Amino acid sequence: MKLRLPQLMIILVVVTLLGATLSFTLPSVRLVPTAILLHMIFAVGIIPLILGAMTYFVPVLTRTGAVSNCELIPPLLAFVAGLLLIVGLWKSNQLIPIAAAIDLVAVLWLSRWIQQRRGRCLGSPHPGLRWYQLALLMLLLALSAILAGYFWPEQWRAFRHFHLHLNLLG
């Protein structure tokens, strides 16, 4: 069975809603730290959903052809990275830089794909495409800050704050 973009988007919406529901109900149990709850919403749900939405709308903004299954990989990579991050926050901090690196690959892949679509655009692309590219740049910088904080633990606090600010901008 081949996975198509509408099916992937439905799966990502369900996962996002499930993560949000869990993050709102689990604090009352007090078994899960807040960082895990927030990342259940953002890293596992919203980021893959946003990347999937970009995959869906970029062909419209660039007036190019339909999406192939290969373009579904970045949102799926982001989903896997989010799951790894949750496990890393829960059990082993060693998984956090791996999750960030996988997310970086997803963001770079999608950025390159958007740039290729931009180059094949009939006429000039819709101005909203630039917003997508800038949002991906913010995400790229935010993920890089997490990796930098992991390799320079004495600067972790500064990189973490930078990561949070970039997430707000993105």
Short mmCIF file of all heavy atoms in Angstrom, two decimals, residues 23-55:
data_model
loop_
_atom_site.label_atom_id
_atom_site.label_comp_id
_atom_site.label_asym_id
_atom_site.label_seq_id
_atom_site.Cartn_x
_atom_site.Cartn_y
_atom_site.Cartn_z
N SER A 23 -0.87 15.67 26.46
CA SER A 23 -0.13 16.72 27.17
C SER A 23 -1.03 17.55 28.07
O SER A 23 -0.55 18.15 29.03
CB SER A 23 0.61 17.60 26.18
OG SER A 23 -0.31 18.33 25.42
N PHE A 24 -2.32 17.59 27.78
CA PHE A 24 -3.24 18.32 28.65
C PHE A 24 -3.75 17.47 29.81
O PHE A 24 -4.11 17.99 30.86
CB PHE A 24 -4.42 18.87 27.86
CG PHE A 24 -4.05 19.93 26.86
CD1 PHE A 24 -4.52 19.87 25.57
CD2 PHE A 24 -3.20 20.97 27.21
CE1 PHE A 24 -4.18 20.85 24.64
CE2 PHE A 24 -2.84 21.94 26.29
CZ PHE A 24 -3.33 21.88 25.00
N THR A 25 -3.77 16.15 29.63
CA THR A 25 -4.29 15.27 30.67
C THR A 25 -3.20 14.72 31.59
O THR A 25 -3.45 14.49 32.76
CB THR A 25 -5.08 14.10 30.07
OG1 THR A 25 -4.25 13.38 29.18
CG2 THR A 25 -6.32 14.58 29.35
N LEU A 26 -2.00 14.51 31.06
CA LEU A 26 -0.93 13.91 31.87
C LEU A 26 -0.42 14.80 33.01
O LEU A 26 0.04 14.26 34.01
CB LEU A 26 0.24 13.48 30.98
CG LEU A 26 -0.01 12.24 30.13
CD1 LEU A 26 1.19 11.95 29.23
CD2 LEU A 26 -0.32 11.03 30.99
N PRO A 27 -0.45 16.13 32.91
CA PRO A 27 0.03 16.92 34.05
C PRO A 27 -0.72 16.64 35.34
O PRO A 27 -0.16 16.73 36.42
CB PRO A 27 -0.18 18.37 33.60
CG PRO A 27 -0.15 18.32 32.14
CD PRO A 27 -0.76 16.99 31.77
N SER A 28 -1.99 16.28 35.24
CA SER A 28 -2.75 15.99 36.45
C SER A 28 -2.24 14.72 37.14
O SER A 28 -2.38 14.57 38.35
CB SER A 28 -4.24 15.85 36.13
OG SER A 28 -4.44 14.77 35.23
N VAL A 29 -1.61 13.83 36.38
CA VAL A 29 -1.05 12.61 36.96
C VAL A 29 0.35 12.86 37.54
O VAL A 29 0.79 12.17 38.43
CB VAL A 29 -0.98 11.49 35.88
CG1 VAL A 29 -0.45 10.20 36.44
CG2 VAL A 29 -2.34 11.29 35.24
N ARG A 30 1.03 13.89 37.02
CA ARG A 30 2.36 14.30 37.46
C ARG A 30 3.44 13.22 37.27
O ARG A 30 4.40 13.16 38.01
CB ARG A 30 2.35 14.76 38.91
CG ARG A 30 1.52 15.98 39.18
CD ARG A 30 1.80 16.47 40.58
NE ARG A 30 1.00 17.42 41.24
CZ ARG A 30 0.41 18.50 40.81
NH1 ARG A 30 0.44 18.80 39.63
NH2 ARG A 30 -0.26 19.31 41.56
N LEU A 31 3.28 12.38 36.29
CA LEU A 31 4.28 11.36 36.00
C LEU A 31 5.25 11.78 34.91
O LEU A 31 6.32 11.20 34.79
CB LEU A 31 3.58 10.05 35.55
CG LEU A 31 2.74 9.34 36.59
CD1 LEU A 31 2.01 8.17 35.95
CD2 LEU A 31 3.60 8.87 37.74
N VAL A 32 4.88 12.77 34.13
CA VAL A 32 5.67 13.15 32.97
C VAL A 32 6.14 14.59 33.13
O VAL A 32 5.33 15.48 33.40
CB VAL A 32 4.83 12.99 31.69
CG1 VAL A 32 5.63 13.35 30.47
CG2 VAL A 32 4.30 11.56 31.57
N PRO A 33 7.45 14.84 32.95
CA PRO A 33 7.95 16.21 33.04
C PRO A 33 7.34 17.12 31.96
O PRO A 33 6.97 16.67 30.88
CB PRO A 33 9.46 16.05 32.81
CG PRO A 33 9.75 14.63 33.10
CD PRO A 33 8.51 13.87 32.77
N THR A 34 7.28 18.40 32.26
CA THR A 34 6.68 19.39 31.35
C THR A 34 7.37 19.40 29.99
O THR A 34 6.71 19.54 28.96
CB THR A 34 6.74 20.79 31.99
OG1 THR A 34 6.09 20.73 33.26
CG2 THR A 34 6.05 21.82 31.11
N ALA A 35 8.70 19.29 29.96
CA ALA A 35 9.43 19.31 28.69
C ALA A 35 8.94 18.21 27.76
O ALA A 35 8.80 18.41 26.55
CB ALA A 35 10.92 19.17 28.93
N ILE A 36 8.67 17.04 28.32
CA ILE A 36 8.18 15.92 27.49
C ILE A 36 6.79 16.24 26.96
O ILE A 36 6.49 16.01 25.79
CB ILE A 36 8.19 14.61 28.29
CG1 ILE A 36 9.64 14.18 28.57
CG2 ILE A 36 7.45 13.52 27.54
CD1 ILE A 36 9.78 12.95 29.42
N LEU A 37 5.95 16.80 27.81
CA LEU A 37 4.59 17.13 27.38
C LEU A 37 4.59 18.15 26.25
O LEU A 37 3.87 18.00 25.26
CB LEU A 37 3.78 17.66 28.57
CG LEU A 37 3.57 16.69 29.72
CD1 LEU A 37 2.90 17.39 30.88
CD2 LEU A 37 2.77 15.49 29.26
N LEU A 38 5.41 19.19 26.38
CA LEU A 38 5.47 20.20 25.33
C LEU A 38 6.02 19.62 24.03
O LEU A 38 5.53 19.94 22.95
CB LEU A 38 6.33 21.38 25.79
CG LEU A 38 5.75 22.20 26.94
CD1 LEU A 38 6.74 23.24 27.42
CD2 LEU A 38 4.44 22.85 26.51
N HIS A 39 7.01 18.75 24.15
CA HIS A 39 7.58 18.16 22.93
C HIS A 39 6.66 17.11 22.32
O HIS A 39 6.77 16.81 21.13
CB HIS A 39 8.97 17.59 23.22
CG HIS A 39 10.00 18.68 23.30
ND1 HIS A 39 10.33 19.27 24.50
CD2 HIS A 39 10.74 19.29 22.35
CE1 HIS A 39 11.23 20.21 24.27
NE2 HIS A 39 11.50 20.24 22.98
N MET A 40 5.75 16.56 23.13
CA MET A 40 4.74 15.66 22.55
C MET A 40 3.87 16.43 21.57
O MET A 40 3.48 15.92 20.53
CB MET A 40 3.88 15.02 23.64
CG MET A 40 4.58 13.91 24.38
SD MET A 40 3.65 13.33 25.81
CE MET A 40 2.24 12.58 25.02
N ILE A 41 3.57 17.67 21.91
CA ILE A 41 2.75 18.50 21.02
C ILE A 41 3.58 18.98 19.83
O ILE A 41 3.20 18.79 18.69
CB ILE A 41 2.17 19.72 21.76
CG1 ILE A 41 1.26 19.30 22.89
CG2 ILE A 41 1.43 20.62 20.80
CD1 ILE A 41 0.82 20.44 23.78
N PHE A 42 4.72 19.60 20.12
CA PHE A 42 5.46 20.28 19.06
C PHE A 42 6.32 19.35 18.22
O PHE A 42 6.21 19.34 16.99
CB PHE A 42 6.32 21.40 19.66
CG PHE A 42 5.49 22.52 20.20
CD1 PHE A 42 5.30 22.67 21.56
CD2 PHE A 42 4.85 23.39 19.34
CE1 PHE A 42 4.50 23.70 22.05
CE2 PHE A 42 4.05 24.42 19.81
CZ PHE A 42 3.87 24.57 21.18
N ALA A 43 7.20 18.57 18.85
CA ALA A 43 8.16 17.76 18.08
C ALA A 43 7.51 16.55 17.42
O ALA A 43 7.87 16.18 16.31
CB ALA A 43 9.31 17.31 18.99
N VAL A 44 6.55 15.93 18.10
CA VAL A 44 5.92 14.74 17.53
C VAL A 44 4.72 15.12 16.66
O VAL A 44 4.46 14.46 15.65
CB VAL A 44 5.47 13.77 18.65
CG1 VAL A 44 4.72 12.58 18.09
CG2 VAL A 44 6.67 13.29 19.46
N GLY A 45 4.03 16.18 17.01
CA GLY A 45 2.82 16.51 16.29
C GLY A 45 2.92 17.68 15.34
O GLY A 45 2.77 17.52 14.13
N ILE A 46 3.21 18.85 15.86
CA ILE A 46 3.08 20.06 15.06
C ILE A 46 4.17 20.19 13.99
O ILE A 46 3.86 20.53 12.85
CB ILE A 46 3.03 21.30 15.98
CG1 ILE A 46 1.73 21.25 16.77
CG2 ILE A 46 3.15 22.58 15.17
CD1 ILE A 46 1.56 22.34 17.79
N ILE A 47 5.42 19.92 14.32
CA ILE A 47 6.49 20.07 13.32
C ILE A 47 6.26 19.13 12.13
O ILE A 47 6.30 19.58 10.98
CB ILE A 47 7.89 19.87 13.94
CG1 ILE A 47 8.19 20.99 14.95
CG2 ILE A 47 8.97 19.81 12.87
CD1 ILE A 47 8.20 22.38 14.37
N PRO A 48 6.00 17.83 12.35
CA PRO A 48 5.71 16.98 11.18
C PRO A 48 4.47 17.45 10.41
O PRO A 48 4.44 17.40 9.18
CB PRO A 48 5.47 15.59 11.77
CG PRO A 48 6.19 15.61 13.07
CD PRO A 48 6.09 17.02 13.57
N LEU A 49 3.48 17.95 11.13
CA LEU A 49 2.26 18.45 10.48
C LEU A 49 2.57 19.68 9.63
O LEU A 49 2.09 19.80 8.50
CB LEU A 49 1.20 18.76 11.52
CG LEU A 49 -0.18 19.13 11.01
CD1 LEU A 49 -0.79 17.99 10.23
CD2 LEU A 49 -1.07 19.49 12.19
N ILE A 50 3.38 20.58 10.15
CA ILE A 50 3.76 21.78 9.39
C ILE A 50 4.56 21.39 8.14
O ILE A 50 4.32 21.90 7.05
CB ILE A 50 4.56 22.76 10.27
CG1 ILE A 50 3.62 23.42 11.29
CG2 ILE A 50 5.26 23.82 9.43
CD1 ILE A 50 4.33 24.24 12.34
N LEU A 51 5.52 20.47 8.30
CA LEU A 51 6.30 20.03 7.14
C LEU A 51 5.41 19.34 6.12
O LEU A 51 5.57 19.53 4.91
CB LEU A 51 7.44 19.11 7.58
CG LEU A 51 8.51 19.72 8.49
CD1 LEU A 51 9.64 18.73 8.72
CD2 LEU A 51 9.03 21.03 7.96
N GLY A 52 4.45 18.57 6.59
CA GLY A 52 3.49 17.94 5.68
C GLY A 52 2.64 18.97 4.96
O GLY A 52 2.37 18.85 3.76
N ALA A 53 2.21 20.00 5.68
CA ALA A 53 1.41 21.06 5.06
C ALA A 53 2.23 21.81 4.01
O ALA A 53 1.72 22.14 2.93
CB ALA A 53 0.88 22.03 6.12
N MET A 54 3.49 22.06 4.31
CA MET A 54 4.36 22.70 3.33
C MET A 54 4.48 21.84 2.08
O MET A 54 4.43 22.34 0.96
CB MET A 54 5.75 22.97 3.93
CG MET A 54 5.79 24.09 4.91
SD MET A 54 7.48 24.30 5.51
CE MET A 54 7.26 25.66 6.62
N THR A 55 4.64 20.53 2.30
CA THR A 55 4.73 19.61 1.17
C THR A 55 3.47 19.65 0.33
O THR A 55 3.53 19.55 -0.89
CB THR A 55 4.97 18.17 1.70
OG1 THR A 55 6.14 18.17 2.50
CG2 THR A 55 5.15 17.19 0.57
#
